[in-house]
Amino acid sequence: MRDHGLFQAICRVNRLDGDDKEYGYIIDYKDLFKSLEGAVHDYTSGALDGYEKEDVAGLLKDRLGKARERLEETRESVKALCEPVDLPKDSAAYMRYFCAKNSGDAEQLKANEPKRLALYKHVAAFVRAYANLAGESTEAGYTTFGIAKMKAEVDHFEKVRNEVKLASGDYIDLKMYEPAMRHLIDTYIHAEESKKVSAFDDVSLVQLIVERGAAAVDALPDGIRKNREAAAEAIENNVRKLIIDEHPINPKYYERMSKLLDALIEQRRKEALDYQEYLRRIVELTKKVANPEVGGGYPIAMNTPGRRALYDNLDKDEGLALAVDSAVRGSRQYDWRSNPFKIKMVKNAIRVALESAGAQVGGNADLTEAGVARDPTSVYGTNPPEPLEDRVQRILVLVRNQDEY
């Protein structure tokens, strides 16, 4: 390639298109760059006329110098982000800083999400920068001691990232990395612990607990597994995240599960349970959270997630749940969720089903024998009944969250 064609290829390679690309690598087999070095210094005239400034600026900078500069920048970014973590900066300390100080606290998990995302981003950049220079560390000016120290830091923060992902429920398994990235991690970073982490390649921590029970703890990374407090907090955070994620599908059920989790966490903190009994109970709760059909004690007719959700959110009234289920199935049309008119048809069907059930159960319960309106609290206690329109809207939202409808 010569002149214009060569320069066009160079500029294309050097364009950045995202966080994953730091710069382009070009291998010059025929020493063609020497004839172009003069032109590079003046990209506004001659051969470089018409090229974007950012495409050619620094085109031939020292690669090793640039790579070392990038490595040090990402290294300091990660260290600065993790500086506030409490001593001794072990697995539990990182989990409490990036996940939740009080395990299972939904608000803390949500509030710390930006910090976790920053951790994932900065550590990934650090790993890439290290991998880019790992084979030429000496040429880049690092001493043997400096190379060993850098490698230990990369290994440490990579493990921290994986443990935080796992403990928070954000865990992303290695199979989602592109093959090249996995090769770099396996080649340049200690991979002894990968045998432990690999248990999560195909399933989440919650799924592993459902399948293996208390034995799932043995599959946790060493830093978490060897610390009972950290292991408990990791499980609690994952269960809480699942409860939050699934709450819109069945609010009443997952509110009940949330209260059970709160009670179990409180018992653990007060040391009212030994560790093995705690594991038994958290495994039992996890199975109920992951599989409501197992832990909900539903009637036989409540044989789908949608029906179970209606049953839980209609005061466990089996007949009413079936009536609303039938009304929704009979009124829904293709792609009804995105069409206001089709939504209205389903909503009206729900209203009719609820009104009919109300009349059958005792639509005149709020009247005295003389036909005079009765004080609602005399019939329903301190909590008057939910207004019909509010109930219709609540059930409509519930139905829209069910895949089967």
Side-chain angles (χ1 to χ4, degrees), residues 14-68:
N14 213 41
R15 281 185 178 175
L16 307 183
D17 58 1
D19 292 339
D20 289 341
K21 184 177 180 182
E22 307 288 349
Y23 38 72
Y25 283 117
I26 300 171
I27 301 175
D28 178 15
Y29 291 103
K30 299 189 67 176
D31 219 14
L32 295 176
F33 277 102
K34 288 187 176 180
S35 64
L36 299 174
E37 285 178 343
V40 170
H41 293 294
D42 185 8
Y43 50 76
T44 59
S45 61
L48 293 173
D49 267 344
Y51 287 92
E52 295 291 335
K53 180 178 179 179
E54 59 270 20
D55 284 344
V56 295
L59 193 64
L60 300 179
K61 283 185 177 179
D62 175 56
R63 179 177 63 81
L64 291 178
K66 191 73 175 176
R68 175 168 179 157

Side-chain angles (χ1 to χ4, degrees), residues 139-175:
E139 292 85 343
Y142 287 100
T143 63
T144 302
F145 175 76
I147 294 171
K149 184 178 179 181
M150 181 75 71
K151 186 173 184 179
E153 289 178 4
V154 173
D155 181 46
H156 169 71
F157 287 115
E158 174 65 15
K159 288 178 180 177
V160 167
R161 179 177 69 162
N162 288 339
E163 289 179 357
V164 169
K165 281 182 179 179
L166 179 61
S168 64
D170 297 337
Y171 184 76
I172 301 174
D173 56 64
L174 283 177
K175 71 178 181 180

Side-chain angles (χ1 to χ4, degrees), residues 51-101:
Y51 287 92
E52 295 291 335
K53 180 178 179 179
E54 59 270 20
D55 284 344
V56 295
L59 193 64
L60 300 179
K61 283 185 177 179
D62 175 56
R63 179 177 63 81
L64 291 178
K66 191 73 175 176
R68 175 168 179 157
E69 179 183 339
R70 176 60 177 164
L71 177 57
E72 292 297 337
E73 286 177 356
T74 57
R75 182 187 196 181
E76 290 306 313
S77 295
V78 173
K79 286 185 173 182
L81 181 64
C82 296
E83 180 62 30
V85 176
D86 292 336
L87 295 174
K89 294 186 183 291
D90 57 1
S91 297
Y94 279 107
M95 285 166 51
R96 288 166 188 160
Y97 181 73
F98 286 104
C99 300
K101 188 173 183 180

